[in-house]
Amino acid sequence: MKKINSKMVNPLWLEMIKVVKREVVPALGCTEPVSLALAAAIAAQRLGKPVEKIEAKVSANLMKNGMGVTVPGTGMTGLFIAVAVGAIGGDPWGKLEVLKNLTPAQVRKAQQMVSQGRVQVMVADVPHILYSEAKVMHGEEWVTVAIADTHTQVARIEENGKVVFEMELGDYVANAMEDKSTIAGIKARDVFDFAMGVPLEMIRFIHEAAELNTSLSREGMSGQYGLHIGTAMDRQRQQGLLADGLLTQVLMRTTAASDARMGGAALPAMTNSGSGNQGIAATMPVVVVAEYVKANEESLIRALMLSHMMAIYIHDKLPKLSALCAVTTASMGAAAGMAWLLKEDFRVVSMAISNMIGDLAGLICDGASNSCAMKVSTSAMSGYKAVLLALEGIRVTGNDGIVAEDVDQSIANLGVLACQGMTQMDKQILQIMLNKK
């Protein structure tokens, strides 16, 4: 293999690769409850004694995204079991795969803790949108670990009343600035040029997204998980109720991966922007279309990189967690990847993204649950439809709604909607969910 001289590569491309490697990583289970499980695992390791009781606090948005999702390997949903298995059997070094090596005995012990009322979870009054805190106890001894702003960033460790580690305000600002610095000045065209022009060997790693999420899709097609949407579509295809075409394959295989992930399958998903469903939405439509057009490996890799980096660029305009379902923005990345596979033209790519913004800007996030697979299928369908229209030269114009003539302005408008226009909606959604309990 010829060695690439990175000094000869566009410096912006090198920075984009760093961003993708940071934002596109494997995770086992929904990342919000997994974040709490990680806090508990780290705390339990520092406690060094059997955990007898747990008190957990999470931000409102993390509560919303953790209440209804199945925790892998447990057969149970929600944050109570997530924090319990994290404390009993979680790998403190496992990051988003903290629950990878759970044993049946550990799961039973965690379930017993929950059933005996030795686990508490409540909403924390914190400024962080993404926040999880686990306090694990043995007798009079205790350790608290808090994670904030990202799913794995430890912000504070306290042992028996003594703070042994705490991030300074400047560290939060520095980390946030690092996250934003690369993406802040780029445009959709820069993402396109990067995916098309960067040396292949430097982005070959993105192929793992296809491998992991395709395996998850196959597992979902077994019909054992979630709402069984992928397998239901397959039966309807066989009965003639759905056409056996490319659209059905995109919907069926993408949704099946989400079925498996939200239904507790013990397989990792390749994430995007901190979410497995976003990673699935950015990956599987591209994989299916690449198979349909018989794309070679290089074309698949470049289409996947275009999809994932475009999804990251768009999601950067949104809060970490919000009332806007970010599967839609990940599917805008997939629309870019599908469009390029069908016609290698940036104009078609940008039109497809604008069409999606005109179609699906208001899909709400009402927490992580099995029904997320419904939103994944809706977003995949919108993406495919947006691409078909773009191939015909049809796009939502700048005279319509929040869509502008310039694709980057359309993306910015979507971000304003999520950051400013939907904040009250987010509070109302959580209140409705809590009232159900």
Side-chain angles (χ1 to χ4, degrees):
M1 184 185 300
K2 184 179 179 181
K3 189 172 182 180
I4 297 167
N5 184 356
S6 61
K7 293 182 179 179
M8 302 296 290
V9 178
N10 185 331
L12 179 60
W13 292 357
L14 297 177
E15 289 302 311
M16 287 193 201
I17 289 172
K18 290 181 183 177
V19 170
V20 174
K21 286 185 174 181
R22 185 179 68 233
E23 298 290 346
V24 181
V25 295
L28 179 64
C30 179
T31 49
E32 274 71 66
V34 161
S35 178
L36 182 58
L38 178 61
I42 296 171
Q45 184 208 37
R46 296 188 71 93
L47 181 66
K49 296 180 179 180
V51 176
E52 297 173 342
K53 188 178 178 182
I54 305 170
E55 293 177 358
K57 297 178 182 179
V58 298
S59 59
N61 284 87
L62 197 141
M63 176 68 80
K64 184 183 77 172
N65 272 13
M67 290 169 62
V69 65
T70 303
V71 178
T74 70
M76 296 176 65
T77 62
L79 295 169
F80 285 82
I81 188 63
V83 72
V85 291
I88 299 300
D91 176 2
W93 310 108
K95 295 187 177 182
L96 293 179
E97 294 184 279
V98 58
L99 302 180
K100 188 173 183 178
N101 297 314
L102 288 180
T103 67
Q106 290 168 339
V107 172
R108 286 193 298 271
K109 189 173 181 180
Q111 290 170 336
Q112 187 178 45
M113 284 190 70
V114 174
S115 66
Q116 292 174 346
R118 293 188 284 133
V119 180
Q120 297 179 19
V121 181
M122 61 193 75
V123 176
D125 183 13
V126 292
H128 308 278
I129 291 175
L130 201 163
Y131 181 86
S132 59
E133 174 187 305
K135 180 179 182 179
V136 299
M137 292 165 270
H138 177 93
E140 298 298 316
E141 298 182 56
W142 56 271
V143 176
T144 297
V145 170
I147 289 175
D149 291 348
T150 73
H151 293 88
T152 59
Q153 179 175 267
V154 176
R156 190 180 81 259
I157 300 175
E158 190 174 350
E159 297 180 358
N160 301 316
K162 180 181 178 181
V163 176
V164 297
F165 170 77
E166 187 165 23
M167 284 182 65
E168 301 289 339
L169 177 61
D171 295 327
Y172 285 110
V173 174
N175 290 347
M177 291 300 292
E178 182 182 356
D179 288 348
K180 296 281 185 183
S181 60
T182 300
I183 300 175
I186 70 172
K187 296 183 179 296
R189 181 76 206 208
D190 296 321
V191 175
F192 181 86
D193 291 343
F194 157 68
M196 299 305 105
V198 69
L200 181 65
E201 292 308 315
M202 298 185 77
I203 59 171
R204 190 177 291 277
F205 66 89
I206 200 66
H207 193 271
E208 187 182 4
E211 295 168 352
L212 290 186
N213 291 340
T214 296
S215 294
L216 203 55
S217 177
R218 291 196 190 103
E219 183 71 8
M221 289 303 295
S222 69
Q224 301 178 49
Y225 303 98
L227 297 180
H228 314 151
I229 302 170
T231 50
M233 287 182 177
D234 191 33
R235 286 193 300 271
Q236 291 158 354
R237 178 187 63 83
Q238 295 175 38
Q239 295 167 12
L241 297 176
L242 284 174
D244 190 8
L246 180 55
L247 173 59
T248 298
Q249 289 295 322
V250 167
L251 296 180
M252 186 171 65
R253 292 175 59 185
T254 305
T255 307
S258 183
D259 279 332
R261 177 179 181 264
M262 305 314 292
L267 289 174
M270 185 63 83
T271 67
N272 185 293
S273 304
S275 163
N277 274 330
Q278 290 176 55
I280 289 166
T283 301
M284 290 310 301
V286 176
V287 169
V288 176
V289 171
E291 290 176 4
Y292 178 81
V293 301
K294 296 180 172 57
N296 60 26
E297 185 182 52
E298 177 174 355
S299 294
L300 171 60
I301 289 171
R302 294 195 182 280
L304 284 170
M305 184 55 73
L306 174 60
S307 174
H308 277 275
M309 186 63 220
M310 191 69 77
I312 293 167
Y313 164 59
I314 298 171
H315 190 273
D316 186 62
K317 310 298 182 186
L318 279 57
K320 287 283 186 182
L321 300 171
S322 74
L324 180 71
C325 178
V327 163
T328 60
T329 56
S331 295
M332 291 170 195
M338 289 188 288
W340 179 77
L341 285 169
L342 294 168
K343 189 170 184 178
E344 298 178 7
D345 185 343
F346 174 71
R347 182 170 173 270
V348 176
V349 167
S350 65
M351 289 170 68
I353 294 171
S354 294
N355 285 343
M356 274 206 72
I357 294 174
D359 182 30
L360 209 59
L363 189 65
I364 65 165
C365 171
D366 57 348
S369 64
N370 287 329
S371 66
C372 286
M374 293 289 290
K375 296 179 178 68
V376 168
S377 67
T378 298
S379 299
M381 177 177 285
S382 175
Y384 186 75
K385 177 175 62 178
V387 169
L388 294 183
L389 293 175
L391 290 170
E392 295 293 322
I394 300 169
R395 63 153 285 180
V396 177
T397 72
N399 297 321
D400 299 335
I402 68 170
V403 177
E405 289 299 334
D406 176 68
V407 65
D408 295 289
Q409 187 58 54
S410 296
I411 293 168
N413 292 346
L414 181 65
V416 171
L417 178 68
C419 292
Q420 300 179 27
M422 302 182 79
T423 52
Q424 182 57 40
M425 182 185 293
D426 203 37
K427 296 176 184 177
Q428 191 62 60
I429 291 169
L430 178 61
Q431 194 58 52
I432 291 172
M433 293 174 67
L434 290 174
N435 287 342
K436 290 198 303 182
K437 297 294 182 183

